[in-house]
Amino acid sequence: MTALKKATGDVVFKFEPFVLHVLCRELQDAQLLHSVAIDSGFRNSGITVGRGGKITMAVRSTHCLEVPLSHKGRLMVSEEYIEFLVRVANQKMEENI
């Protein structure tokens, strides 16, 4: 809170979701991993094939959080709300694990 109160610009509380990139030898390997990821709740997962034929499967969670806290140095939320955001982010971290 001390650092936040001293901020002169915009401050954003941000929680990034889990991401795992897996390089796959065959497309069917990536498809199998994709199915497992989707069935496990990682709905933002996907497969990309690069120009050189490199097949990458990305396992991505949907557990993101991004909330503005201050604007031009003016605190826009209460300390109680920030404590709430921290609890929510920690819960999302547990879900990632």
Side-chain angles (χ1 to χ4, degrees):
M1 286 305 299
T2 302
L4 184 58
K5 289 176 184 175
K6 292 179 183 178
T8 58
D10 294 351
V11 176
V12 176
F13 183 94
K14 189 171 186 178
F15 174 82
E16 294 285 338
F18 169 81
V19 178
L20 172 68
H21 291 101
V22 180
L23 187 60
C24 300
R25 289 185 183 171
E26 303 290 333
L27 183 57
Q28 56 264 37
D29 298 332
Q31 290 170 327
L32 176 60
L33 182 56
H34 183 259
S35 294
V36 171
I38 296 296
D39 291 345
S40 298
F42 295 98
R43 294 180 292 277
N44 284 352
S45 299
I47 300 170
T48 58
V49 179
R51 291 182 190 158
K54 183 169 78 170
I55 303 165
T56 304
M57 167 52 205
V59 180
R60 292 188 191 104
S61 169
T62 58
H63 297 97
C64 61
L65 179 66
E66 187 171 351
V67 181
L69 301 179
S70 71
H71 179 64
K72 296 182 181 177
R74 181 173 168 240
L75 187 61
M76 305 299 288
V77 298
S78 67
E79 185 172 348
E80 179 183 357
Y81 186 68
I82 293 170
E83 291 169 359
F84 169 74
L85 289 175
V86 170
R87 285 193 304 273
V88 170
N90 285 337
Q91 180 181 1
K92 289 177 179 293
M93 181 63 81
E94 288 296 320
E95 291 171 7
N96 274 339
I97 294 170

